[in-house]
Amino acid sequence: MDNTAKWRTPPLKHPYLKVSQLLVLASLFYFCSGIIQVNKTVKEVAVLSCDYNISTAELMKVRIYWQKDDEVVLAVTSGQTKVWSKYENRTFADFTNNLSIVIMALRLSDNGKYTCIVQKTEKRSYKVKHMTSVMLLVRADFPVPSITDLGNPSHDIKRIMCSTSGGFPKPHLSWWENEEELNAANTTVSQDPDTELYTISSELDFNVTNNHSFVCLVKYGDLTVSQIFNWQKSVEPHPPNNQQQLWVILILVVSGVIAVITAITGGCLAHSKYYRAIILTSISGSPNSIGMCQHFSEVLVSFLLVSPSSTHSLDRHFKDTYYMSNSLLGTGVTNNDSMPPRHILLESIFSP
């Protein structure tokens, strides 16, 4: 059974139009307000610059705070660095690069505005000497779904599964055919507790005896991703017609029998005189009579086809055989009668 199964990604109609517009507007807003914007994807590394340089000796005399909104991310006091638990083991300070902080394995929860504050002592108290903000935008797009063949739960039913992972926010998956939504089975959605990313999968059963074109559509927020699965039913070969084959064989056999009978009958009609001689001489009871007539046939052909100059001895033998055969056939021809010309004998051979 030859089945064809194909899947492809359909062209999307401006799927990122709204997001692009929002990003442009946000960029313009933060550019006008003096806030630097950093765009990253989930699991990547972000470097946020404080845009302020100090010497290593000054680290003992300053306080550096990195905070997200009202939550402290990292603090440096008296040269000692402390990272808050939410960012522990994935965030560190780079004092050689404008007092930047480096956040690894980005999560969706890392989205937000980060502020760097540098304080120095003046008259036994700390005063703010520098402050800057950086906007971190973390996105998580779902990749194009993949469709997997799960086999046949029954004879004419096939099961396929559509799945995708690594996106945010919570997605919704649906199956479509001819612009109509289908009933899916075993749809599951899960979220990674560390990255907060979602994974979704869904199964679909369909009849293999029909052609299908399914669309697996995953929607998250204002965005969608999809995959197409095409199924072509198999073409069963036509079984051979045994009755027709029997008729063909029968016609060939009958045609062969007719051809053989025709050949035998035609030969008998063309040499009817000599076959009568064979029959008569056989009835006479002479053991040499059939051999004689067969010998006469050979002599007759040789006499008619071989040139006269090379058949002097054959001519006399043929004459004796000729008169003997006529005597057996009762034609009245005797040894005193003259031999007919060759062309007359040749005509008599092929005439009934």
Side-chain angles (χ1 to χ4, degrees):
M1 179 181 292
D2 295 327
N3 302 314
T4 306
K6 301 179 180 178
W7 45 88
R8 60 183 176 85
T9 303
L12 301 177
K13 299 180 179 179
H14 310 293
Y16 302 106
L17 184 58
K18 293 183 179 180
V19 174
S20 300
Q21 291 174 341
L22 291 174
L23 290 176
V24 171
L25 292 174
S27 299
L28 290 175
F29 173 76
Y30 291 119
F31 176 79
C32 295
S33 61
I35 298 178
I36 300 172
Q37 179 177 304
V38 176
N39 296 304
K40 292 293 179 178
T41 59
V42 171
K43 298 182 180 180
E44 286 187 339
V45 177
V47 179
L48 309 181
S49 174
C50 186
D51 198 22
Y52 188 81
N53 280 322
I54 60 173
S55 64
T56 305
E58 289 182 289
L59 286 175
M60 302 298 294
K61 302 176 182 180
V62 300
R63 291 178 178 177
I64 303 170
Y65 296 98
W66 272 99
Q67 63 186 42
K68 178 189 174 188
D69 300 327
D70 296 330
E71 179 186 25
V72 178
V73 176
L74 179 147
V76 179
T77 57
S78 301
Q80 300 296 318
T81 302
K82 181 180 179 180
V83 179
W84 265 244
S85 59
K86 188 176 179 179
Y87 298 89
E88 196 172 3
N89 298 324
R90 64 187 189 96
T91 304
F92 61 91
D94 185 1
F95 300 120
T96 62
N97 183 21
N98 296 324
L99 301 180
S100 300
I101 61 168
V102 179
I103 305 175
M104 301 181 294
L106 287 173
R107 304 172 182 175
L108 292 171
S109 58
D110 295 333
N111 272 299
K113 185 176 71 171
Y114 292 77
T115 302
C116 175
I117 302 171
V118 180
Q119 296 177 338
K120 287 186 177 181
T121 58
E122 286 185 4
K123 298 179 181 180
R124 298 182 180 180
S125 64
Y126 283 93
K127 294 183 179 181
V128 175
K129 291 298 182 179
H130 177 77
M131 184 172 65
T132 187
S133 295
V134 180
M135 189 67 186
L136 176 61
L137 298 179
V138 182
R139 67 181 185 273
D141 297 327
F142 280 96
V144 174
S146 61
I147 298 180
T148 307
D149 187 346
L150 299 182
N152 298 67
S154 60
H155 178 63
D156 291 331
I157 301 299
K158 180 171 284 295
R159 178 171 296 168
I160 55 178
M161 181 180 69
C162 179
S163 62
T164 184
S165 62
F168 187 92
K170 186 176 181 179
H172 175 267
L173 190 153
S174 57
W175 291 93
W176 296 80
E177 184 178 26
N178 299 326
E179 299 183 354
E180 294 184 2
E181 187 172 359
L182 307 176
N183 294 324
N186 299 329
T187 300
T188 58
V189 181
S190 61
Q191 186 178 26
D192 189 297
D194 295 328
T195 63
E196 302 179 6
L197 299 178
Y198 285 93
T199 297
I200 189 169
S201 64
S202 180
E203 298 177 359
L204 179 70
D205 293 344
F206 65 92
N207 196 317
V208 298
T209 59
N210 299 319
N211 295 330
H212 296 281
S213 182
F214 301 115
V215 177
C216 172
L217 180 66
V218 178
K219 183 178 181 180
Y220 59 106
D222 294 332
L223 300 177
T224 59
V225 288
S226 60
Q227 182 70 279
I228 293 178
F229 178 88
N230 292 319
W231 175 265
Q232 296 292 329
K233 65 179 181 180
S234 62
V235 179
E236 296 291 344
H238 295 289
N241 192 336
N242 294 331
Q243 186 175 4
Q244 185 178 2
Q245 290 182 348
L246 291 176
W247 275 108
V248 172
I249 295 173
L250 182 60
I251 292 173
L252 293 175
V253 171
V254 172
S255 300
V257 172
I258 293 175
V260 172
I261 294 175
T262 302
I264 295 174
T265 306
C268 292
L269 292 176
H271 301 84
S272 59
K273 290 182 179 181
Y274 304 104
Y275 278 103
R276 279 189 295 158
I278 292 173
I279 293 171
L280 289 174
T281 54
S282 297
I283 293 174
S284 66
S286 172
N288 300 322
S289 56
I290 293 178
M292 178 194 68
C293 289
Q294 290 174 342
H295 177 65
F296 168 73
S297 211
E298 297 172 0
V299 173
L300 178 61
V301 172
S302 301
F303 177 76
L304 295 176
L305 298 181
V306 181
S307 62
S309 59
S310 60
T311 57
H312 179 72
S313 60
L314 182 63
D315 187 36
R316 176 176 298 177
H317 184 67
F318 169 73
K319 288 180 181 180
D320 295 339
T321 308
Y322 171 75
Y323 291 128
M324 184 180 299
S325 298
N326 278 280
S327 175
L328 292 172
L329 292 174
T331 58
V333 178
T334 64
N335 293 346
N336 297 325
D337 296 327
S338 61
M339 287 283 294
R342 292 189 182 190
H343 69 276
I344 295 177
L345 287 174
L346 188 61
E347 290 176 358
S348 66
I349 290 174
F350 298 101
S351 62

